[in-house]
Amino acid sequence: MINTGITALESYVPEQIVTNEDLSHIVDTNDEWISSRTGIKRRHLSTGENTSQFCINTGKKLLDKTGTNAEDIDLIIVATITPDYATPSVSCQVQKALGCTNAFAFDISAACSGFVYSLSIADKYIRSGLYQKVLVFGAETLSKIVNWTDRNTCVLFGDGGGGALLEPVEKGGIVAEDLHARGDDEALTGRHHVVENMVCTHIEKGYPYLIMDGRAIFNFATKVVPKSVNKILEKTGFTLDDIKYIVPHQANSRIIDIVARKLKTDIDKFYINVEEYGNTSAASIPIALSEMSEKGLLKKGDRIIITGFGAGLTWGSMLIEW
Ligand code: B82
């Protein structure tokens, strides 16, 4: 039986750091307001690099680190809601830049759940036995779609990317998943592309930025995330004592506090780095995993649950064994 393992993790975030104090000079806000409601202290913002560059830099590190030849990569998946172009896909830009001439490539749009969805897809290709080496990225340049005059949203988001090399393993790896979507809920939307052409009779007024009903998505996240984590435990027969870390999408530390309380587990089981990067949507889980790997927190035999939730609405969790 073929399982899918994560054999390497890397990330790349832009160098420029913008603190809450820095933001207080462009909108009416302050560090106390932002950090007490979100846990965010600073975020990395792009000074010009686009989403593809975050993936390319991450991908180079993954190939170097593992001694993998670019031509041996079979598939590249990029989870993003902020691609450089409508077409070509970010994954095709990565394929070209890394020289992965034998890989096919596509992007996935599932907002903050994008990395979990993409791992799920990669898992099926590898389990089929037809493909062996898959690069999966989550990367965003959210600063492109944030309204920098809206103090309620512009303080929340950051830029960056992370990724993983996935390969067949004999045991462990991706053990279980629980994926969902609820398209009828529009509490979080971003950049409306309106129809405008010579036969269009009614041109809608678009809004080119992220919009969120904070309270509504907060309630959504604190309801579905504990349920989804419990579903994973139910499917596998494990309890939270068998799980070393829960790695949630880094949207807001208050969401994570409530999820921990509802799961009746210690907050220390959760890996949290929202303080440093803000909300980077599809990039938040791979950046967190890459940091954990760098710190030596992911040891052979460790089980973790990753859980993504966001616009769509979409959400999903996965149990991965190291
Ligand atoms: S908030 O609405 O302002 N709030 C909750 C009542 C303050 C604690 C808020 C803030 Br500020 C920041 C983020 C959220 C939030 O709920 N975010 C999300 C929830 C579900 C899915 C995705 C997100 C996200 O921000 O990516 C609420």
Side-chain angles (χ1 to χ4, degrees):
M1 166 99 161
I2 303 167
N3 282 10
T4 303
I6 292 184
T7 50
L9 285 158
E10 277 297 346
S11 64
Y12 175 87
V13 293
E15 241 174 69
Q16 182 74 57
I17 293 172
V18 174
T19 64
N20 292 346
E21 218 280 309
D22 294 334
L23 287 178
S24 72
H25 300 294
I26 64 157
V27 284
D28 183 11
T29 191
N30 56 64
D31 176 51
E32 197 282 320
W33 192 95
I34 302 170
S35 50
S36 66
R37 281 169 186 75
T38 70
I40 301 165
K41 285 275 186 197
R42 51 201 156 261
R43 69 286 293 141
H44 292 243
L45 294 186
S46 170
T47 53
E49 290 165 302
N50 216 327
T51 303
S52 62
Q53 203 57 50
F54 303 150
C55 298
I56 291 164
N57 293 351
T58 301
K60 278 186 184 150
K61 292 200 253 181
L62 284 170
L63 295 182
D64 279 357
K65 182 179 192 171
T66 55
T68 304
N69 289 325
E71 310 85 62
D72 291 337
I73 298 295
D74 300 308
L75 164 62
I76 300 168
I77 306 176
V78 175
T80 189
I81 53 166
T82 49
D84 302 20
Y85 304 102
T87 194
S89 61
V90 176
S91 51
C92 278
Q93 293 176 273
V94 174
Q95 191 249 15
K96 174 184 165 195
L98 297 184
C100 299
T101 45
N102 295 309
F104 66 114
F106 55 84
D107 290 1
I108 289 295
S109 171
C112 315
S113 315
F115 190 71
V116 183
Y117 271 42
S118 299
L119 287 182
S120 165
I121 297 165
D123 176 50
K124 307 306 169 293
Y125 277 108
I126 290 180
R127 267 178 205 278
S128 74
L130 297 173
Y131 304 97
Q132 276 74 44
K133 290 185 192 295
V134 181
L135 288 174
V136 177
F137 301 92
E140 305 284 6
T141 317
L142 293 171
S143 60
K144 294 190 293 189
I145 63 164
V146 155
N147 179 351
W148 287 103
T149 65
D150 174 15
R151 66 175 180 175
N152 292 316
T153 53
C154 79
V155 300
L156 303 176
F157 301 99
D159 300 331
L165 174 66
L166 274 67
E167 295 176 274
V169 288
E170 300 225 318
K171 68 187 274 288
I174 296 173
V175 174
E177 65 180 31
D178 174 59
L179 303 175
H180 300 274
R182 204 168 74 201
D184 62 348
D185 193 326
E186 296 177 0
L188 184 55
T189 60
R191 185 167 279 184
H192 189 187
H193 298 286
V194 298
V195 180
E196 196 177 346
N197 63 35
M198 67 287 195
V199 291
C200 185
T201 49
H202 169 70
I203 297 171
E204 265 183 271
K205 203 167 147 13
Y207 184 76
Y209 306 113
L210 280 169
I211 313 175
M212 63 183 248
D213 176 343
R215 176 53 69 182
I217 46 169
F218 189 89
N219 290 342
F220 149 75
T222 51
K223 193 166 128 203
V224 302
V225 174
K227 228 169 143 179
S228 180
V229 170
N230 278 327
K231 189 81 199 166
I232 291 281
L233 296 174
E234 201 182 292
K235 280 187 181 182
T236 55
F238 291 122
T239 70
L240 279 177
D241 289 339
D242 302 310
I243 307 300
K244 184 95 179 277
Y245 292 105
I246 298 175
V247 186
H249 163 53
Q250 309 283 319
N252 179 314
S253 57
R254 283 209 203 167
I255 296 178
I256 304 173
D257 288 338
I258 294 181
V259 170
R261 210 164 66 218
K262 286 197 174 175
L263 287 170
K264 298 190 180 59
T265 188
D266 204 281
I267 191 72
D268 290 344
K269 205 181 267 293
F270 289 75
Y271 189 81
I272 306 171
N273 65 5
V274 67
E275 177 175 333
E276 188 61 37
Y277 305 104
N279 177 349
T280 57
S281 188
S284 88
I285 293 175
I287 291 173
L289 290 176
S290 159
E291 261 187 12
M292 292 170 76
S293 160
E294 186 74 29
K295 290 179 180 166
L297 298 178
L298 302 170
K299 300 199 182 65
K300 192 148 183 56
D302 284 350
R303 284 181 214 100
I304 67 164
I305 292 177
I306 60 172
T307 180
F309 45 94
L313 300 176
T314 57
W315 69 101
S317 307
M318 191 172 258
L319 192 150
I320 308 168
E321 193 174 302
W322 248 258

PDB file of all heavy atoms in Angstrom, residues 84-97:
ATOM      1  N   ASP A  84      -0.059  35.796  -9.926  1.00  0.00           N
ATOM      2  CA  ASP A  84       0.526  36.934 -10.661  1.00  0.00           C
ATOM      3  C   ASP A  84      -0.387  37.315 -11.827  1.00  0.00           C
ATOM      4  O   ASP A  84      -0.561  38.495 -12.132  1.00  0.00           O
ATOM      5  CB  ASP A  84       1.892  36.571 -11.257  1.00  0.00           C
ATOM      6  CG  ASP A  84       2.926  36.109 -10.230  1.00  0.00           C
ATOM      7  OD1 ASP A  84       2.550  35.706  -9.126  1.00  0.00           O
ATOM      8  OD2 ASP A  84       4.123  36.156 -10.573  1.00  0.00           O
ATOM      9  N   TYR A  85      -0.915  36.312 -12.528  1.00  0.00           N
ATOM     10  CA  TYR A  85      -1.752  36.507 -13.719  1.00  0.00           C
ATOM     11  C   TYR A  85      -3.017  35.666 -13.608  1.00  0.00           C
ATOM     12  O   TYR A  85      -3.037  34.676 -12.868  1.00  0.00           O
ATOM     13  CB  TYR A  85      -1.030  35.993 -14.976  1.00  0.00           C
ATOM     14  CG  TYR A  85       0.328  36.576 -15.247  1.00  0.00           C
ATOM     15  CD1 TYR A  85       1.488  35.849 -14.952  1.00  0.00           C
ATOM     16  CD2 TYR A  85       0.474  37.828 -15.828  1.00  0.00           C
ATOM     17  CE1 TYR A  85       2.749  36.368 -15.223  1.00  0.00           C
ATOM     18  CE2 TYR A  85       1.728  38.355 -16.107  1.00  0.00           C
ATOM     19  CZ  TYR A  85       2.860  37.617 -15.796  1.00  0.00           C
ATOM     20  OH  TYR A  85       4.106  38.119 -16.059  1.00  0.00           O
ATOM     21  N   ALA A  86      -4.046  36.013 -14.405  1.00  0.00           N
ATOM     22  CA  ALA A  86      -5.184  35.102 -14.552  1.00  0.00           C
ATOM     23  C   ALA A  86      -4.666  33.843 -15.257  1.00  0.00           C
ATOM     24  O   ALA A  86      -5.067  32.726 -14.949  1.00  0.00           O
ATOM     25  CB  ALA A  86      -6.292  35.755 -15.364  1.00  0.00           C
ATOM     26  N   THR A  87      -3.788  34.041 -16.227  1.00  0.00           N
ATOM     27  CA  THR A  87      -3.080  32.922 -16.855  1.00  0.00           C
ATOM     28  C   THR A  87      -1.771  33.449 -17.425  1.00  0.00           C
ATOM     29  O   THR A  87      -1.749  34.597 -17.880  1.00  0.00           O
ATOM     30  CB  THR A  87      -3.952  32.245 -17.945  1.00  0.00           C
ATOM     31  OG1 THR A  87      -3.376  31.002 -18.303  1.00  0.00           O
ATOM     32  CG2 THR A  87      -4.144  33.102 -19.180  1.00  0.00           C
ATOM     33  N   PRO A  88      -0.643  32.761 -17.392  1.00  0.00           N
ATOM     34  CA  PRO A  88      -0.478  31.399 -16.909  1.00  0.00           C
ATOM     35  C   PRO A  88      -0.616  31.296 -15.388  1.00  0.00           C
ATOM     36  O   PRO A  88      -0.496  32.289 -14.671  1.00  0.00           O
ATOM     37  CB  PRO A  88       0.949  31.059 -17.327  1.00  0.00           C
ATOM     38  CG  PRO A  88       1.661  32.366 -17.324  1.00  0.00           C
ATOM     39  CD  PRO A  88       0.644  33.363 -17.808  1.00  0.00           C
ATOM     40  N   SER A  89      -0.844  30.069 -14.948  1.00  0.00           N
ATOM     41  CA  SER A  89      -0.946  29.792 -13.520  1.00  0.00           C
ATOM     42  C   SER A  89       0.404  30.023 -12.841  1.00  0.00           C
ATOM     43  O   SER A  89       1.458  29.980 -13.498  1.00  0.00           O
ATOM     44  CB  SER A  89      -1.368  28.336 -13.318  1.00  0.00           C
ATOM     45  OG  SER A  89      -0.389  27.472 -13.873  1.00  0.00           O
ATOM     46  N   VAL A  90       0.373  30.234 -11.537  1.00  0.00           N
ATOM     47  CA  VAL A  90       1.625  30.370 -10.773  1.00  0.00           C
ATOM     48  C   VAL A  90       2.430  29.071 -10.902  1.00  0.00           C
ATOM     49  O   VAL A  90       3.652  29.095 -11.064  1.00  0.00           O
ATOM     50  CB  VAL A  90       1.335  30.683  -9.279  1.00  0.00           C
ATOM     51  CG1 VAL A  90       2.632  30.724  -8.473  1.00  0.00           C
ATOM     52  CG2 VAL A  90       0.575  31.992  -9.142  1.00  0.00           C
ATOM     53  N   SER A  91       1.726  27.939 -10.885  1.00  0.00           N
ATOM     54  CA  SER A  91       2.425  26.654 -10.945  1.00  0.00           C
ATOM     55  C   SER A  91       3.198  26.493 -12.261  1.00  0.00           C
ATOM     56  O   SER A  91       4.289  25.910 -12.268  1.00  0.00           O
ATOM     57  CB  SER A  91       1.445  25.504 -10.737  1.00  0.00           C
ATOM     58  OG  SER A  91       0.365  25.653 -11.608  1.00  0.00           O
ATOM     59  N   CYS A  92       2.659  27.031 -13.364  1.00  0.00           N
ATOM     60  CA  CYS A  92       3.395  26.973 -14.638  1.00  0.00           C
ATOM     61  C   CYS A  92       4.616  27.895 -14.600  1.00  0.00           C
ATOM     62  O   CYS A  92       5.669  27.561 -15.155  1.00  0.00           O
ATOM     63  CB  CYS A  92       2.495  27.338 -15.816  1.00  0.00           C
ATOM     64  SG  CYS A  92       1.510  25.925 -16.361  1.00  0.00           S
ATOM     65  N   GLN A  93       4.486  29.040 -13.919  1.00  0.00           N
ATOM     66  CA  GLN A  93       5.650  29.927 -13.770  1.00  0.00           C
ATOM     67  C   GLN A  93       6.745  29.229 -12.959  1.00  0.00           C
ATOM     68  O   GLN A  93       7.928  29.362 -13.262  1.00  0.00           O
ATOM     69  CB  GLN A  93       5.243  31.232 -13.072  1.00  0.00           C
ATOM     70  CG  GLN A  93       4.319  32.100 -13.903  1.00  0.00           C
ATOM     71  CD  GLN A  93       3.893  33.323 -13.089  1.00  0.00           C
ATOM     72  OE1 GLN A  93       2.925  33.287 -12.354  1.00  0.00           O
ATOM     73  NE2 GLN A  93       4.649  34.385 -13.211  1.00  0.00           N
ATOM     74  N   VAL A  94       6.320  28.494 -11.935  1.00  0.00           N
ATOM     75  CA  VAL A  94       7.274  27.752 -11.098  1.00  0.00           C
ATOM     76  C   VAL A  94       7.936  26.642 -11.919  1.00  0.00           C
ATOM     77  O   VAL A  94       9.154  26.442 -11.863  1.00  0.00           O
ATOM     78  CB  VAL A  94       6.554  27.140  -9.864  1.00  0.00           C
ATOM     79  CG1 VAL A  94       7.485  26.238  -9.067  1.00  0.00           C
ATOM     80  CG2 VAL A  94       5.988  28.238  -8.976  1.00  0.00           C
ATOM     81  N   GLN A  95       7.115  25.943 -12.710  1.00  0.00           N
ATOM     82  CA  GLN A  95       7.625  24.847 -13.544  1.00  0.00           C
ATOM     83  C   GLN A  95       8.750  25.351 -14.444  1.00  0.00           C
ATOM     84  O   GLN A  95       9.818  24.747 -14.539  1.00  0.00           O
ATOM     85  CB  GLN A  95       6.465  24.261 -14.372  1.00  0.00           C
ATOM     86  CG  GLN A  95       6.796  22.979 -15.073  1.00  0.00           C
ATOM     87  CD  GLN A  95       6.863  23.152 -16.590  1.00  0.00           C
ATOM     88  OE1 GLN A  95       6.932  24.271 -17.094  1.00  0.00           O
ATOM     89  NE2 GLN A  95       6.850  22.036 -17.281  1.00  0.00           N
ATOM     90  N   LYS A  96       8.507  26.521 -15.058  1.00  0.00           N
ATOM     91  CA  LYS A  96       9.502  27.121 -15.956  1.00  0.00           C
ATOM     92  C   LYS A  96      10.762  27.531 -15.175  1.00  0.00           C
ATOM     93  O   LYS A  96      11.881  27.157 -15.536  1.00  0.00           O
ATOM     94  CB  LYS A  96       8.883  28.340 -16.638  1.00  0.00           C
ATOM     95  CG  LYS A  96       9.850  29.131 -17.482  1.00  0.00           C
ATOM     96  CD  LYS A  96       9.199  30.377 -18.049  1.00  0.00           C
ATOM     97  CE  LYS A  96      10.259  31.334 -18.572  1.00  0.00           C
ATOM     98  NZ  LYS A  96       9.725  32.658 -18.809  1.00  0.00           N
ATOM     99  N   ALA A  97      10.580  28.284 -14.088  1.00  0.00           N
ATOM    100  CA  ALA A  97      11.731  28.833 -13.359  1.00  0.00           C
ATOM    101  C   ALA A  97      12.607  27.738 -12.747  1.00  0.00           C
ATOM    102  O   ALA A  97      13.828  27.874 -12.685  1.00  0.00           O
ATOM    103  CB  ALA A  97      11.247  29.787 -12.268  1.00  0.00           C
TER     104      ALA A  97
END
